[in-house]
Amino acid sequence: MLSTPFNESEQVDYESLARLIVKAREFGCVGVVVLGVTGEVAKLTDSERYNIVEFVVQKAAGLSVVVGTTGSGTAVAVARSQEADQLGAHALMIAPPPIAKPNPAAVIHYYSAIAASTSLPLVIQDYPAVSGVYMTVELMKQLADQLPSFKYLKLEDPPTPTKLSMIKKSLGDRIGVFGGLGGLCLFDELNRGSLGCLLYTSDAADERSSVDLGGR
């Protein structure tokens, strides 16, 4: 999970971003994720998003690139997903859109529209603390039944081991499940059938300080 480095003027620091990609390769990673929550994606302009994806794809040199394309609405997410596809992404990571109250039909429509717009594999991000949307195991089963491109789940709905067991019981190995939350429950998740944990890389010397800069 790549963070987005910034310089003192709060502009994207592409030199540091390139070093993060090099570090990921040195650590033995086979891929990177860009424009996730740790990438401060909500604070980037549309042009910054585009330039970052283009840059990471160019610098990846053999690494798979997963791009976060979550949108505030279906049309936005579709446009971002198609853009990432055109720029050379290998997969998309997408959380549900903000919804004021539970609406499974709206979530299914959202992901169905995205899946129809691109052939890239989907990594659905289950992170209600950020998205505000709680996705039940039944909803995930419906998505898996309807969307062949739904290949992976990034599970960040604690307690993750409990929900992971429920997902595996319902779906078996139809989708691969990765843990999140900084690896907090990694070993328990592995024992229950997860593929691993998505972690972020950062360079302490270049990591943007929200304290010093007052946030972006």
Side-chain angles (χ1 to χ4, degrees):
M1 302 293 296
L2 295 177
S3 58
T4 300
F6 297 85
N7 59 29
E8 293 182 357
S9 299
E10 297 198 35
Q11 301 303 306
V12 177
D13 182 348
Y14 288 99
E15 182 178 343
S16 293
L17 181 57
R19 286 202 295 271
L20 293 183
I21 298 169
V22 170
K23 182 179 289 189
R25 186 179 293 106
E26 290 176 349
F27 286 165
C29 297
V30 296
V32 294
V33 181
V34 64
L35 301 186
V37 175
T38 57
E40 302 199 64
V41 63
K43 302 173 184 177
L44 297 170
T45 66
D46 288 341
S47 60
E48 285 176 326
R49 292 174 60 99
Y50 183 98
N51 292 337
I52 288 171
V53 174
E54 184 177 48
F55 181 85
V56 172
V57 169
Q58 291 175 351
K59 295 293 183 180
L63 295 177
S64 295
V65 178
V66 181
V67 178
T69 59
T70 301
S72 56
T74 301
V76 174
V78 166
R80 289 176 176 174
S81 298
Q82 291 176 323
E83 180 179 87
D85 192 350
Q86 293 165 3
L87 288 171
H90 297 91
L92 307 173
M93 184 178 74
I94 310 170
I99 301 175
K101 59 182 180 180
N103 191 336
V107 174
I108 291 173
H109 170 73
Y110 171 83
Y111 282 115
S112 297
I114 295 168
S117 73
T118 173
S119 61
L120 292 179
L122 303 183
V123 182
I124 291 181
Q125 186 174 14
D126 183 16
Y127 196 3
V130 171
S131 69
V133 178
Y134 175 75
M135 292 193 290
T136 65
V137 175
E138 176 57 31
L139 175 56
M140 292 179 188
K141 184 177 184 305
Q142 287 180 273
L143 289 169
D145 288 341
Q146 296 181 35
L147 307 178
S149 59
F150 174 21
K151 300 295 187 182
Y152 302 98
L153 174 73
K154 186 185 180 195
L155 180 59
E156 299 180 278
D157 181 15
T160 54
T162 302
K163 192 168 186 178
L164 174 58
S165 291
M166 295 169 63
I167 292 169
K168 298 299 286 188
K169 181 178 180 180
S170 177
L171 289 167
D173 294 326
R174 290 175 58 190
I175 61 171
V177 181
F178 289 95
L181 302 177
L184 184 64
C185 300
L186 174 61
F187 295 112
D188 202 354
E189 291 166 352
L190 289 172
N191 287 333
R192 295 176 188 235
S194 78
L195 297 178
C197 180
L198 296 175
L199 299 173
Y200 73 91
T201 61
S202 65
D203 187 334
D206 296 294
E207 190 172 14
R208 177 170 163 269
S209 170
S210 60
V211 176
D212 291 343
L213 298 178
R216 186 178 188 188

